[in-house]
Amino acid sequence: MSVAPRRIGVVGHPRYAALHDALESAIAFAAAHGIEIAVQPDLLAPDSGVSPLDPDQVGDVDLLLTLGGDGTLLRGARMVAPHGVPVLGVNLGHLGFLTALAPADIERGLEAVRDGEIVLDERMVLTVHAEAADGTVRGSSLALNDAVLHRGGVARMIRMAVSAHGEEVGTYSADGIILATPTGSTAYSLSAGGPIVTPTVDCIVATPICPHTLAVRPLILSAAERVTVEVLSPSEELILTIDGQESASLVPGDRLVVERAPLPLRLVRFPGQTFFSTLRRKLRWGDLEERER
């Protein structure tokens, strides 16, 4: 971003103790540099004098600042991904794998954005929707991390037929399935035994959750594939979860359809912040000697 942003949008999670100070830093920076700022309404005091952020006009901002953890960034990402608005995450939580700034560095980070001293890291996004047996689309969403099909309530295996571009991949008996982006490969998919995929690789990772047979392993599919998962288990209502936040129900005969979204998400990074440096620092990647160093 070589041009200073004229309007910054801010979303955040009110449960973080550091939120107030982080928000004040962002508002003060905007005021000092003649930048318009619009903030998620429930983060503002009634007499703040700051413009509320209208979800229907989020595409009008030049930068979205997220104050919270990875979950807050994912929520903000789904809001602005269709509009190509860059996202800068401030980590107020514990891990913050996707975020780029600590609260104390907000003003320095915004100065770097203003001066164009940043890297825009493009991340693949998935379009996710549920189809009824007659082909009716019952809901659509975007996923930066993953779409997870699983059972709610009693732990019991489910049967699913997986296909890619109309060709049968196979039938899975498992607790569920995770369809992840490269960004999501270091989230739930990783915990379920999936591979780590660098963000520059365009692919969809299909990771079964606790499969019944060792013959069913994680599968990496081309990003050009249209991946379909059909529910085969009779009388089983399943839950579709998007990025661990949005959810919908599927019944036998329904299909989960996942494909690459038209636009990537643009994450703001700073020079020296790379995927592998984040992997080593946040997930303790490497052997014991590397960790000690």
Side-chain angles (χ1 to χ4, degrees):
M1 185 183 298
S2 58
V3 179
R6 295 167 299 174
R7 190 166 190 250
I8 296 175
V10 181
V11 299
H13 199 306
R15 77 174 176 86
Y16 289 104
L19 176 71
H20 179 268
D21 289 344
L23 182 57
E24 288 299 313
S25 293
I27 293 173
F29 179 89
H33 294 85
I35 299 172
E36 183 182 352
I37 192 166
V39 179
Q40 179 181 316
D42 62 350
L43 304 182
L44 294 170
D47 58 349
S48 67
V50 178
S51 301
L53 180 64
D54 185 344
D56 294 331
Q57 297 178 340
V58 72
D60 295 336
V61 302
D62 301 307
L63 174 74
L64 185 72
L65 187 69
T66 68
L67 307 177
D70 284 341
T72 306
L73 188 146
L74 291 169
R75 174 165 59 88
R78 289 196 304 277
M79 294 171 61
V80 300
H83 308 289
V85 175
V87 178
L88 173 57
V90 178
N91 183 31
L92 305 182
H94 175 63
L95 182 61
F97 192 80
L98 298 175
T99 57
L101 280 179
D105 297 328
I106 289 177
E107 293 194 25
R108 178 192 61 80
L110 290 175
E111 285 177 357
V113 172
R114 179 198 62 190
D115 298 337
E117 297 173 352
I118 58 170
V119 177
L120 288 179
D121 189 4
E122 293 196 344
R123 298 295 182 96
M124 176 180 154
V125 179
L126 296 176
T127 298
V128 182
H129 63 262
E131 285 185 358
D134 62 1
T136 302
V137 176
R138 297 201 291 105
S140 297
S141 187
L142 294 175
L144 175 61
N145 262 2
D146 51 40
V148 182
L149 188 62
H150 59 101
R151 263 189 55 88
V154 178
R156 186 183 302 164
M157 282 193 307
I158 56 177
R159 293 184 68 245
M160 304 160 286
V162 180
S163 61
H165 250 45
E167 180 180 356
E168 179 183 359
V169 173
T171 301
Y172 289 19
S173 292
D175 285 357
I177 189 169
I178 305 163
L179 298 176
T181 64
T183 298
S185 72
T186 53
Y188 189 12
S189 176
L190 180 62
S191 299
I196 293 176
V197 182
T198 59
T200 53
V201 176
D202 290 335
C203 67
I204 299 173
V205 182
T207 305
I209 305 171
C210 300
H212 182 58
T213 171
L214 291 175
V216 175
R217 309 309 303 159
L219 181 65
I220 297 178
L221 299 160
S222 165
E225 301 283 5
R226 189 172 192 261
V227 182
T228 303
V229 181
E230 183 177 354
V231 181
L232 300 179
S233 298
S235 304
E236 293 283 359
E237 183 175 359
L238 302 182
I239 298 173
L240 168 62
T241 303
I242 308 296
D243 285 345
Q245 297 175 344
E246 298 181 358
S247 63
S249 297
L250 275 73
V251 298
D254 284 355
R255 293 183 292 271
L256 164 64
V257 181
V258 171
E259 55 191 331
R260 182 180 190 164
L263 292 176
L265 174 73
R266 299 196 295 169
L267 283 180
V268 175
R269 290 276 182 256
F270 300 98
Q273 291 182 336
T274 67
F275 174 73
F276 292 114
S277 68
T278 302
L279 200 64
R280 293 193 302 270
R281 184 165 45 90
K282 297 285 188 176
L283 295 188
R284 311 295 289 173
W285 177 262
D287 60 23
L288 292 177
E289 182 181 353
E290 177 71 20
R291 296 182 190 182
E292 291 169 358
R293 187 166 68 240

